[in-house]
PDB file of all heavy atoms in Angstrom:
ATOM      1  N   GLU B  96      90.754 -41.431  59.993  1.00  0.00           N
ATOM      2  CA  GLU B  96      91.869 -40.762  60.668  1.00  0.00           C
ATOM      3  C   GLU B  96      92.854 -40.181  59.665  1.00  0.00           C
ATOM      4  O   GLU B  96      93.402 -39.096  59.867  1.00  0.00           O
ATOM      5  CB  GLU B  96      92.570 -41.750  61.602  1.00  0.00           C
ATOM      6  CG  GLU B  96      91.738 -42.147  62.809  1.00  0.00           C
ATOM      7  CD  GLU B  96      92.547 -42.959  63.820  1.00  0.00           C
ATOM      8  OE1 GLU B  96      93.788 -43.047  63.647  1.00  0.00           O
ATOM      9  OE2 GLU B  96      91.948 -43.485  64.767  1.00  0.00           O
ATOM     10  N   ASN B  97      93.096 -40.893  58.564  1.00  0.00           N
ATOM     11  CA  ASN B  97      93.999 -40.366  57.533  1.00  0.00           C
ATOM     12  C   ASN B  97      93.442 -39.082  56.925  1.00  0.00           C
ATOM     13  O   ASN B  97      94.181 -38.131  56.654  1.00  0.00           O
ATOM     14  CB  ASN B  97      94.218 -41.408  56.434  1.00  0.00           C
ATOM     15  CG  ASN B  97      95.071 -42.569  56.899  1.00  0.00           C
ATOM     16  OD1 ASN B  97      95.802 -42.467  57.881  1.00  0.00           O
ATOM     17  ND2 ASN B  97      94.978 -43.692  56.208  1.00  0.00           N
ATOM     18  N   SER B  98      92.128 -39.048  56.701  1.00  0.00           N
ATOM     19  CA  SER B  98      91.512 -37.853  56.153  1.00  0.00           C
ATOM     20  C   SER B  98      91.641 -36.681  57.117  1.00  0.00           C
ATOM     21  O   SER B  98      91.933 -35.547  56.708  1.00  0.00           O
ATOM     22  CB  SER B  98      90.034 -38.115  55.846  1.00  0.00           C
ATOM     23  OG  SER B  98      89.421 -36.987  55.278  1.00  0.00           O
ATOM     24  N   LEU B  99      91.461 -36.948  58.422  1.00  0.00           N
ATOM     25  CA  LEU B  99      91.588 -35.871  59.402  1.00  0.00           C
ATOM     26  C   LEU B  99      93.042 -35.430  59.556  1.00  0.00           C
ATOM     27  O   LEU B  99      93.337 -34.254  59.794  1.00  0.00           O
ATOM     28  CB  LEU B  99      91.019 -36.312  60.747  1.00  0.00           C
ATOM     29  CG  LEU B  99      90.509 -35.165  61.635  1.00  0.00           C
ATOM     30  CD1 LEU B  99      89.304 -34.512  60.980  1.00  0.00           C
ATOM     31  CD2 LEU B  99      90.146 -35.658  63.022  1.00  0.00           C
ATOM     32  N   ALA B 100      93.983 -36.386  59.419  1.00  0.00           N
ATOM     33  CA  ALA B 100      95.400 -36.028  59.463  1.00  0.00           C
ATOM     34  C   ALA B 100      95.770 -35.118  58.290  1.00  0.00           C
ATOM     35  O   ALA B 100      96.569 -34.187  58.433  1.00  0.00           O
ATOM     36  CB  ALA B 100      96.264 -37.288  59.451  1.00  0.00           C
ATOM     37  N   GLU B 101      95.182 -35.386  57.124  1.00  0.00           N
ATOM     38  CA  GLU B 101      95.421 -34.505  55.970  1.00  0.00           C
ATOM     39  C   GLU B 101      94.827 -33.124  56.222  1.00  0.00           C
ATOM     40  O   GLU B 101      95.425 -32.107  55.857  1.00  0.00           O
ATOM     41  CB  GLU B 101      94.812 -35.118  54.719  1.00  0.00           C
ATOM     42  CG  GLU B 101      95.070 -34.313  53.454  1.00  0.00           C
ATOM     43  CD  GLU B 101      94.529 -35.003  52.217  1.00  0.00           C
ATOM     44  OE1 GLU B 101      95.277 -35.786  51.607  1.00  0.00           O
ATOM     45  OE2 GLU B 101      93.357 -34.766  51.873  1.00  0.00           O
ATOM     46  N   LEU B 102      93.655 -33.079  56.863  1.00  0.00           N
ATOM     47  CA  LEU B 102      93.065 -31.785  57.207  1.00  0.00           C
ATOM     48  C   LEU B 102      93.960 -31.027  58.178  1.00  0.00           C
ATOM     49  O   LEU B 102      94.091 -29.799  58.083  1.00  0.00           O
ATOM     50  CB  LEU B 102      91.683 -32.001  57.826  1.00  0.00           C
ATOM     51  CG  LEU B 102      90.857 -30.733  58.084  1.00  0.00           C
ATOM     52  CD1 LEU B 102      90.422 -30.109  56.762  1.00  0.00           C
ATOM     53  CD2 LEU B 102      89.633 -31.046  58.947  1.00  0.00           C
ATOM     54  N   ALA B 103      94.598 -31.747  59.103  1.00  0.00           N
ATOM     55  CA  ALA B 103      95.531 -31.097  60.030  1.00  0.00           C
ATOM     56  C   ALA B 103      96.714 -30.498  59.281  1.00  0.00           C
ATOM     57  O   ALA B 103      97.157 -29.384  59.583  1.00  0.00           O
ATOM     58  CB  ALA B 103      96.020 -32.107  61.072  1.00  0.00           C
ATOM     59  N   ALA B 104      97.241 -31.230  58.281  1.00  0.00           N
ATOM     60  CA  ALA B 104      98.349 -30.699  57.480  1.00  0.00           C
ATOM     61  C   ALA B 104      97.916 -29.465  56.699  1.00  0.00           C
ATOM     62  O   ALA B 104      98.678 -28.496  56.567  1.00  0.00           O
ATOM     63  CB  ALA B 104      98.859 -31.785  56.526  1.00  0.00           C
ATOM     64  N   LEU B 105      96.677 -29.477  56.184  1.00  0.00           N
ATOM     65  CA  LEU B 105      96.161 -28.301  55.483  1.00  0.00           C
ATOM     66  C   LEU B 105      96.054 -27.115  56.432  1.00  0.00           C
ATOM     67  O   LEU B 105      96.404 -25.981  56.082  1.00  0.00           O
ATOM     68  CB  LEU B 105      94.786 -28.607  54.884  1.00  0.00           C
ATOM     69  CG  LEU B 105      94.748 -29.537  53.668  1.00  0.00           C
ATOM     70  CD1 LEU B 105      93.325 -29.977  53.377  1.00  0.00           C
ATOM     71  CD2 LEU B 105      95.349 -28.856  52.450  1.00  0.00           C
ATOM     72  N   ALA B 106      95.573 -27.370  57.656  1.00  0.00           N
ATOM     73  CA  ALA B 106      95.433 -26.285  58.633  1.00  0.00           C
ATOM     74  C   ALA B 106      96.790 -25.696  59.008  1.00  0.00           C
ATOM     75  O   ALA B 106      96.936 -24.470  59.120  1.00  0.00           O
ATOM     76  CB  ALA B 106      94.709 -26.798  59.878  1.00  0.00           C
ATOM     77  N   GLU B 107      97.779 -26.548  59.190  1.00  0.00           N
ATOM     78  CA  GLU B 107      99.120 -26.047  59.519  1.00  0.00           C
ATOM     79  C   GLU B 107      99.705 -25.265  58.353  1.00  0.00           C
ATOM     80  O   GLU B 107     100.384 -24.257  58.550  1.00  0.00           O
ATOM     81  CB  GLU B 107     100.025 -27.223  59.888  1.00  0.00           C
ATOM     82  CG  GLU B 107      99.648 -27.886  61.209  1.00  0.00           C
ATOM     83  CD  GLU B 107     100.443 -29.167  61.442  1.00  0.00           C
ATOM     84  OE1 GLU B 107     101.493 -29.336  60.796  1.00  0.00           O
ATOM     85  OE2 GLU B 107     100.013 -29.992  62.267  1.00  0.00           O
ATOM     86  N   THR B 108      99.440 -25.714  57.112  1.00  0.00           N
ATOM     87  CA  THR B 108      99.917 -24.972  55.952  1.00  0.00           C
ATOM     88  C   THR B 108      99.291 -23.586  55.900  1.00  0.00           C
ATOM     89  O   THR B 108      99.934 -22.620  55.504  1.00  0.00           O
ATOM     90  CB  THR B 108      99.575 -25.739  54.658  1.00  0.00           C
ATOM     91  OG1 THR B 108     100.188 -27.034  54.715  1.00  0.00           O
ATOM     92  CG2 THR B 108     100.083 -25.001  53.431  1.00  0.00           C
ATOM     93  N   ALA B 109      98.029 -23.484  56.318  1.00  0.00           N
ATOM     94  CA  ALA B 109      97.337 -22.191  56.322  1.00  0.00           C
ATOM     95  C   ALA B 109      97.803 -21.306  57.456  1.00  0.00           C
ATOM     96  O   ALA B 109      97.447 -20.123  57.486  1.00  0.00           O
ATOM     97  CB  ALA B 109      95.830 -22.408  56.407  1.00  0.00           C
ATOM     98  N   GLY B 110      98.589 -21.842  58.412  1.00  0.00           N
ATOM     99  CA  GLY B 110      99.114 -21.032  59.507  1.00  0.00           C
ATOM    100  C   GLY B 110      98.351 -21.182  60.800  1.00  0.00           C
ATOM    101  O   GLY B 110      98.403 -20.298  61.657  1.00  0.00           O
ATOM    102  N   ALA B 111      97.645 -22.288  60.967  1.00  0.00           N
ATOM    103  CA  ALA B 111      96.873 -22.509  62.187  1.00  0.00           C
ATOM    104  C   ALA B 111      97.617 -23.442  63.136  1.00  0.00           C
ATOM    105  O   ALA B 111      98.542 -24.155  62.735  1.00  0.00           O
ATOM    106  CB  ALA B 111      95.499 -23.084  61.852  1.00  0.00           C
ATOM    107  N   LEU B 112      97.183 -23.434  64.385  1.00  0.00           N
ATOM    108  CA  LEU B 112      97.749 -24.305  65.409  1.00  0.00           C
ATOM    109  C   LEU B 112      96.698 -25.344  65.760  1.00  0.00           C
ATOM    110  O   LEU B 112      95.638 -25.008  66.291  1.00  0.00           O
ATOM    111  CB  LEU B 112      98.128 -23.481  66.644  1.00  0.00           C
ATOM    112  CG  LEU B 112      98.979 -24.158  67.708  1.00  0.00           C
ATOM    113  CD1 LEU B 112     100.376 -24.464  67.191  1.00  0.00           C
ATOM    114  CD2 LEU B 112      99.069 -23.267  68.935  1.00  0.00           C
ATOM    115  N   VAL B 113      96.951 -26.602  65.434  1.00  0.00           N
ATOM    116  CA  VAL B 113      95.962 -27.664  65.658  1.00  0.00           C
ATOM    117  C   VAL B 113      96.035 -28.115  67.108  1.00  0.00           C
ATOM    118  O   VAL B 113      97.072 -28.585  67.575  1.00  0.00           O
ATOM    119  CB  VAL B 113      96.214 -28.851  64.706  1.00  0.00           C
ATOM    120  CG1 VAL B 113      95.201 -29.959  64.973  1.00  0.00           C
ATOM    121  CG2 VAL B 113      96.117 -28.398  63.249  1.00  0.00           C
ATOM    122  N   LEU B 114      94.916 -27.983  67.812  1.00  0.00           N
ATOM    123  CA  LEU B 114      94.866 -28.361  69.221  1.00  0.00           C
ATOM    124  C   LEU B 114      94.273 -29.748  69.430  1.00  0.00           C
ATOM    125  O   LEU B 114      94.687 -30.473  70.329  1.00  0.00           O
ATOM    126  CB  LEU B 114      94.037 -27.338  70.008  1.00  0.00           C
ATOM    127  CG  LEU B 114      94.514 -25.887  69.957  1.00  0.00           C
ATOM    128  CD1 LEU B 114      93.558 -25.010  70.742  1.00  0.00           C
ATOM    129  CD2 LEU B 114      95.924 -25.759  70.508  1.00  0.00           C
ATOM    130  N   ASP B 115      93.307 -30.115  68.637  1.00  0.00           N
ATOM    131  CA  ASP B 115      92.625 -31.387  68.849  1.00  0.00           C
ATOM    132  C   ASP B 115      91.906 -31.785  67.569  1.00  0.00           C
ATOM    133  O   ASP B 115      91.673 -30.957  66.687  1.00  0.00           O
ATOM    134  CB  ASP B 115      91.617 -31.272  69.997  1.00  0.00           C
ATOM    135  CG  ASP B 115      91.409 -32.599  70.710  1.00  0.00           C
ATOM    136  OD1 ASP B 115      91.804 -33.636  70.136  1.00  0.00           O
ATOM    137  OD2 ASP B 115      90.854 -32.609  71.822  1.00  0.00           O
TER     138      ASP B 115
END
Side-chain angles (χ1 to χ4, degrees):
E96 291 189 9
N97 289 340
S98 182
L99 206 66
E101 183 176 270
L102 187 69
L105 288 168
E107 291 172 19
T108 301
L112 192 67
V113 179
L114 302 178
D115 209 344

